[in-house]
Amino acid sequence: MSERSGMPGEGLVKGLAVTLKTMTRPSTTQQYPDVAPELPPRSRGVIALLEENCTVCMLCARECPDWCIYIDSHKEEVTVPGAARPRQRNVLDKFDIDFSLCMYCGICVEVCPFDALYWSPEFEYAEHDIKDLLHDKDHLGEWMATVPPPPAHDPHGDPSKEETTAARKAAAPARPAAVRPEPGPAADGGTAP
């Protein structure tokens, strides 16, 4: 027998010891339908829409690898007091997400520059018909109530960019206003232009 193999049946004894130890522990089965699960803080359930923040930039729909976001809009003229001409702005008409196609990658939430899309931990939205998994902007807006607040900033971590910029501006000494030199006589005795 080689030195590495040890005693015959040693692996069998270790395996039985693990089995007996596991059998004596109580089970940790979660009673899901009766007891709501305790989800991790950044769990991905469903995508919620904050309609007021959406500027119809279409970044979410363009970056979606599944092409499951459908957006329609129209332009409206807005008159601004004191402006020379009226401005145009996009108005959101339709914002639908087909959750039967969505793979929950989160790219749409990450690329949104105006914080219009958020992850909600809501995951109980099963439907009897697959066509009912196409959710419109009103349905997506209802899930904004379930979006948790952002986590507090770690006091021992790096400060945010905004805090760093504000601290740098407050600590910088005030610069004197730039003074332009007055035109005067040139070095050759003539006058400067």
Side-chain angles (χ1 to χ4, degrees):
M1 216 186 256
S2 70
E3 293 177 14
R4 291 198 299 178
S5 64
M7 301 267 304
E10 186 178 326
L12 179 64
V13 173
K14 285 183 180 178
L16 284 174
V18 170
T19 303
L20 288 173
K21 190 165 98 177
T22 305
M23 287 177 56
T24 58
R25 287 189 203 152
S27 64
T28 57
T29 304
Q30 293 183 353
Q31 304 298 322
Y32 162 61
D34 301 326
V35 179
E38 197 170 310
L39 298 172
R42 293 180 52 171
S43 60
R44 296 180 177 188
V46 72
I47 297 167
L49 171 70
L50 185 60
E51 189 177 343
E52 314 65 82
N53 287 2
C54 184
T55 61
V56 197
C57 66
M58 307 289 278
L59 272 174
C60 55
R62 283 195 308 247
E63 296 296 326
C64 179
D66 291 334
W67 293 86
C68 64
I69 300 175
Y70 311 105
I71 301 174
D72 279 335
S73 67
H74 69 277
K75 292 191 181 284
E76 281 185 357
E77 285 193 355
V78 178
T79 55
V80 179
R85 59 183 171 171
R87 296 184 181 165
Q88 288 188 348
R89 73 177 185 105
N90 288 328
V91 178
L92 185 65
D93 293 330
K94 176 176 124 176
F95 193 102
D96 295 347
I97 298 179
D98 191 351
F99 285 106
S100 66
L101 297 175
C102 182
M103 65 179 185
Y104 302 92
C105 63
I107 293 174
C108 57
V109 176
E110 295 296 324
V111 300
C112 182
F114 302 104
D115 292 332
L117 297 174
Y118 292 90
W119 279 114
S120 167
E122 184 68 37
F123 63 93
E124 296 174 327
Y125 55 95
E127 300 288 345
H128 292 290
D129 191 2
I130 196 168
K131 290 183 247 172
D132 294 334
L133 284 172
L134 181 69
H135 295 268
D136 62 352
K137 65 180 180 175
D138 297 327
H139 203 161
L140 297 172
E142 291 171 6
W143 280 318
M144 276 307 296
T146 64
V147 173
H153 187 69
D154 182 12
H156 302 295
D158 293 335
S160 66
K161 288 187 269 185
E162 293 84 2
E163 291 173 330
T164 307
T165 305
R168 199 175 327 127
K169 285 182 180 177
R175 292 184 182 177
V179 179
R180 296 181 70 174
E182 293 292 324
D188 63 352
T191 59

